[in-house]
């Protein structure tokens, strides 16, 4: 791979006429040219094992799966970084400092098991004055984003919005928004915002006339709002392209153009499907052109359908999913969110989630992506960790991760594994270091300083917080968050399951026990955790990789595979078919590497922490059972 930075004089020259770049207040017009670039920090030299993940080639879509430059199927797992971007206390940045970003990235790898982040950006802070981008903000964004890339974490930026803009709301409002700058709100003549009787902030989407009209204006490019946003997006992408080194830029997975799009109001005779066809999809086509012009030609746009297309409450659900966009192909990824609104409501779901609760919901995501000829990512999912429904969180989140891993409930997985479907990429909402420690004057009101939870509309979903010593600590069960998953499959993943044995209070949740028909496998796993991947090899030479949770010490990890049976896998070498290596970034996280030299061959690998020094006869018996099981089902 080359380390030379690609210059974009032609692209940047185009921007000079539509969006100037400035260095923060006071704002002055400065030409946006390549000569304004600064040298990016050097990337530490990668070891051979490091290069297996960041191989210098962009991710692309092949056969409906994300793939790397070595043809391996890639699964992105991680978190949104972070809702702090919605707040003003740190100027619309995810972190107060680069040091905090480094702390978050290290913990995200070592404690959260993530290999990817959705990195939130603020239109309001990129373009505080119309037609001028703030380079001070962009430089700070780039410095914080670079930290994650250097930790071996893939990044896809997201221009985030909720309720269009905080500038629609007054200092006395019950709620707030984020996204569009003040000048964009001033351009419209919007009524005083009011949600009426609203128990959840999301009701503003359909009940607040100011929010609805502002969104409507954006999609119809009233006052040139959409064109201004697209110019800002292009300037942002060009800045990142220019200020990241080639190896760093290779770690950018794509771009999420617009968070949770919805119509605001429909035109006469319009519905959710025709709105997607006539307004949302053309916007994505324009955004895709801006990506190309900014030097992002080889990276996909992570496009979100209408917010309500896969809602799990029938009164909210709307037809959509970009049904009329045709085959999306490798230049787009189907990007959706999922929250269990029934569980969040507190009244529409009694009890807790159970095995297979979201199999149908996430199956619909897989089916829609397959029909569109592309890959899928669930870029937001989660559940409140405080309040009246927080008791559901352990089971709701376990069921969501189960549905990301497989479209089958545990009760069906062993008997019908071929129906498991592709392993979905996903980023949980969210990873906010400052949870419970904010100091956010809501809508600029010094009398309404928010400190608790996520400090935004009473939300509290962060998986982490800082303890009193300043250390990052998990707020959820580590067994749930730091998971075994196939980060890179050399070929095609046919089936995957992971029994995490996560806790709901003092109860261990076991939804996928090894069946009695595999007694040696069941004995080997015992009461421990296990994951099982079945794949068909491809034509490349790079190994399959699975993330190993921090609580899976190498010395107590057992692997049973057609490639070999190993207790305490050895360090990686190219000649070792089952081995362990550090994950890139120096955070201490590890991965299991499974090497094969064939093509089109069925392989399987069981990984468990349930055994202590298992005897050879038990390993061989388990291998025989798995071989017979795989042959019977694939």
């Amino acid at each position: 791979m080359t380390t030379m930075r690609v210059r974009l004089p032609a692209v940047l020259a185009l921007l000079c006429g539509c969006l100037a770049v400035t260095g923060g207040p006071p704002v002055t017009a400065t030409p946006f040219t390549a000569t304004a670039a600064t040298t990016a920090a050097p990337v530490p030299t990668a070891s051979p094992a490091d290069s297996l993940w960041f191989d210098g080639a962009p991710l692309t879509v092949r056969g409906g799966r994300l793939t790397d430059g070595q043809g391996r199927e890639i699964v992105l797992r991680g978190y949104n970084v972070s809702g702090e971007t919605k707040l003003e206390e740190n100027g619309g940045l995810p972190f107060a400092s680069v040091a905090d970003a480094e702390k978050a990235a290290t913990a995200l790898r070592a404690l959260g098991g993530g290999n990817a982040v959705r990195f939130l950006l603020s239109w309001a802070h990129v373009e505080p004055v119309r037609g001028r981008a703030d380079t001070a903000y962009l430089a700070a964004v780039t410095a914080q984003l670079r930290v994650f890339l250097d930790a071996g974490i893939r990044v896809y930026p997201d221009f985030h919005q909720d309720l269009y803009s905080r500038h629609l709301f007054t200092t006395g409002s019950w709620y707030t928004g984020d996204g569009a700058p003040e000048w964009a709100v001033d351009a419209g003549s919007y009524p005083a915002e009011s949600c009426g009787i609203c128990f959840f902030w999301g009701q503003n989407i359909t009940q607040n006339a100011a929010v609805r009209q502002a969104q409507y204006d954006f999609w119809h490019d009233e006052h040139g709002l959409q064109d201004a946003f697209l110019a800002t997006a292009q300037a942002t992408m060009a800045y990142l392209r220019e200020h990241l080194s080639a190896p760093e830029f290779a770690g950018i997975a794509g771009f999420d153009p617009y968070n949770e799009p919805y119509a605001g109001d429909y035109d006469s005779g319009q519905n959710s499907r025709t709105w997607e066809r006539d307004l949302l999809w053309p916007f994505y086509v324009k955004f895709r052109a801006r990506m190309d012009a900014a030097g992002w030609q080889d990276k996909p746009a992570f496009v979100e359908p209408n917010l309500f297309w896969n809602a799990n409450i029938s009164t909210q659900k709307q037809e959509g999913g970009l049904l009329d966009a045709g085959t999306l192909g490798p230049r787009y990824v189907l990007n959706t969110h999922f929250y269990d609104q029934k569980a969040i409501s507190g009244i529409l779901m009694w009890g807790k989630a159970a095995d297979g609760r979201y199999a149908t919901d996430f199956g619909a995501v897989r089916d829609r992506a397959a029909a569109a000829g592309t890959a899928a990512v669930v870029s937001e999912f989660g559940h409140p960790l405080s309040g009246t429904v927080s008791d559901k969180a352990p089971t709701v989140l376990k069921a969501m991760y189960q549905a990301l891993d497989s479209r089958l409930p545990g009760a069906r997985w062993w008997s019908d594994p071929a129906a498991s479907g592709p392993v979905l990429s996903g980023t949980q909402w969210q990873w906010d270091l400052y949870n419970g420690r904010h100091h956010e004057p809501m809508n600029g009101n010094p009398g309404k300083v928010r400190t608790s939870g996520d400090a935004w509309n009473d939300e509290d979903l962060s998986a982490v917080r800082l303890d009193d010593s300043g250390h990052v600590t998990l707020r959820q069960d580590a067994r749930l968050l730091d998971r075994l998953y196939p980060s890179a499959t050399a070929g095609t993943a046919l089936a995957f399951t992971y029994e995490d044995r996560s806790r709901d209070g003092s109860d261990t949740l076991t939804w996928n026990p090894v069946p009695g028909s595999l007694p040696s496998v069941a004995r080997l796993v015992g009461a421990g955790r296990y994951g099982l991947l079945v794949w068909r090899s491809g034509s490349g030479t790079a190994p399959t990789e699975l993330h190993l949770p921090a609580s899976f010490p190498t010395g107590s990890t057992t692997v049973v595979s057609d490639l070999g049976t190993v207790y305490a896998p050895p360090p990686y070498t190219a000649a070792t078919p089952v081995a362990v290596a550090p994950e890139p970034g120096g955070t201490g996280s590890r991965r299991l590497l499974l090497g094969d030299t064939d093509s089109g061959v069925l392989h399987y690998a069981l990984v468990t922490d349930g055994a202590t020094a298992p005897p050879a006869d038990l390993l061989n018996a388990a291998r025989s059972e798995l071989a017979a099981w795989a042959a019977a089902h694939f």
Side-chain angles (χ1 to χ4, degrees), residues 57-291:
L59 292 186
T60 188
V61 179
R62 298 177 190 170
R65 315 284 179 105
L66 286 172
T67 59
D68 67 5
Q70 300 174 88
R72 298 181 301 174
E73 180 181 324
I74 296 299
V75 171
L76 303 176
R77 288 288 177 89
Y79 304 85
N80 282 259
V81 177
S82 77
E84 175 70 11
T85 302
K86 299 182 182 186
L87 308 181
E88 289 299 308
E89 63 184 4
N90 284 318
L93 292 167
F95 302 98
S97 64
V98 171
D100 278 1
E102 291 173 343
K103 183 181 294 186
T106 299
L108 191 143
R109 268 294 209 188
L111 299 179
N115 67 7
V117 294
R118 181 174 180 246
F119 193 96
L120 273 61
L121 304 175
S122 168
W123 177 18
H125 290 87
V126 176
E127 192 183 7
V129 175
R130 186 164 191 163
R132 301 175 183 175
D134 185 349
T135 50
Y137 178 77
L138 289 175
V141 161
T142 305
Q144 293 186 9
L145 185 150
R146 177 180 288 119
V147 165
F148 288 86
L149 297 172
D150 290 350
I153 297 169
R154 293 192 187 270
V155 175
Y156 59 105
D158 154 51
F159 262 120
H160 208 80
Q161 73 80 35
D162 289 288
L163 308 183
Y164 190 67
S165 173
R166 82 179 190 93
H167 299 289
L168 285 172
F169 298 83
T170 67
T171 56
S173 293
W174 289 8
Y175 300 102
T176 189
D178 74 292
E182 187 173 11
W183 62 259
V185 173
D186 291 344
S189 298
Y190 303 121
E193 70 82 18
S194 174
C195 192
I197 301 176
C198 289
F199 299 101
F200 304 101
W201 71 261
Q203 292 176 266
N204 284 272
I205 294 170
T206 55
Q207 293 181 218
N208 193 322
V211 173
R212 296 200 322 266
Q213 290 183 31
Q215 287 286 1
Y216 179 92
D217 281 359
F218 179 85
W219 297 116
H220 290 78
D221 196 25
E222 296 291 336
H223 320 295
L225 292 172
Q226 189 178 123
D227 283 345
F229 174 84
L230 290 168
T232 299
Q234 182 177 340
T236 300
M237 289 185 285
Y239 187 97
L240 290 171
R241 180 68 184 90
E242 183 67 13
H243 288 74
L244 294 172
S245 68
E248 289 169 339
F249 191 62
I252 300 289
F255 206 109
D256 184 344
Y258 198 89
N259 179 67
E260 296 182 353
Y262 56 94
D265 287 315
Y266 293 125
D267 290 318
S268 177
Q270 194 176 56
N271 59 31
S272 57
R273 179 167 178 172
T274 57
W275 175 79
E276 281 193 352
R277 181 194 68 196
D278 297 338
L279 291 172
L280 182 60
W281 179 247
F283 165 76
Y284 287 144
V285 172
K286 294 175 185 176
F287 196 97
R288 174 71 264 180
R290 297 287 185 154
M291 291 179 69

Side-chain angles (χ1 to χ4, degrees), residues 248-526:
E248 289 169 339
F249 191 62
I252 300 289
F255 206 109
D256 184 344
Y258 198 89
N259 179 67
E260 296 182 353
Y262 56 94
D265 287 315
Y266 293 125
D267 290 318
S268 177
Q270 194 176 56
N271 59 31
S272 57
R273 179 167 178 172
T274 57
W275 175 79
E276 281 193 352
R277 181 194 68 196
D278 297 338
L279 291 172
L280 182 60
W281 179 247
F283 165 76
Y284 287 144
V285 172
K286 294 175 185 176
F287 196 97
R288 174 71 264 180
R290 297 287 185 154
M291 291 179 69
D292 295 346
W296 292 53
Q297 301 95 324
D298 296 332
K299 300 183 185 297
F302 286 55
V303 293
E304 301 185 34
N306 160 31
L307 168 62
F308 300 109
W309 83 277
N310 64 338
N312 72 330
I313 297 179
S314 59
T315 55
Q316 287 185 342
K317 193 173 183 66
Q318 298 178 6
E319 187 178 26
L322 303 177
L323 293 170
D324 300 299
T327 301
L328 300 185
R331 289 168 60 76
Y332 300 91
V333 168
L334 182 74
N335 171 15
T336 189
H337 297 175
F338 184 81
Y339 293 93
D340 187 343
Q341 300 296 338
K342 292 181 180 179
I344 292 173
S345 74
I347 59 175
L348 297 177
M349 170 186 164
W350 298 105
K352 299 182 180 182
D355 177 30
R357 176 171 176 85
Y358 305 117
T360 298
D361 298 297
F362 284 56
V365 174
R366 289 177 170 89
D367 291 342
R368 182 66 205 112
T374 191
V377 58
V378 183
S379 62
E380 279 190 32
F381 62 95
H383 189 81
L385 300 182
S386 64
T388 59
V389 299
S390 60
D391 64 310
K392 302 178 190 295
T395 58
V396 166
L397 266 295
K398 179 180 173 76
M400 288 180 176
Y401 275 111
Q402 179 192 53
L404 287 172
D405 289 343
S406 169
R407 70 183 300 152
L408 298 174
R412 282 183 53 202
W413 195 89
W414 284 95
S415 61
D416 190 20
S420 191
V423 183
L424 290 177
S425 294
T427 46
Q428 182 178 330
W429 184 272
Q430 63 162 323
W431 195 264
D432 174 20
L433 293 189
Y434 313 112
N435 177 271
R437 296 177 178 274
H438 291 281
H439 190 86
E440 173 70 6
M442 184 176 177
N443 297 314
N445 187 341
K448 296 177 69 175
V449 177
R450 298 299 183 235
T451 59
S452 63
D454 300 336
W456 195 87
N457 286 342
D458 297 322
E459 284 196 337
D460 185 14
L461 284 85
S462 178
V464 295
R465 62 182 292 273
L466 294 176
D467 66 17
D468 291 342
S469 299
H471 299 124
V472 182
T473 59
L474 295 179
R475 301 179 66 225
Q476 296 173 273
D477 188 349
R479 291 172 175 252
L480 171 71
L481 299 180
D482 189 9
R483 308 175 63 78
L484 186 83
Y485 61 91
S487 54
T489 302
T492 302
L494 303 178
F496 176 70
T497 189
Y498 180 52
E499 179 48 79
D500 57 39
R501 313 275 192 184
S502 57
R503 294 348 188 228
D504 179 12
S506 60
D507 296 331
T508 298
L509 302 174
T510 301
W511 293 353
N512 191 3
V514 178
S517 57
L518 299 167
S520 298
V521 176
R523 179 184 163 198
L524 181 69
V525 169

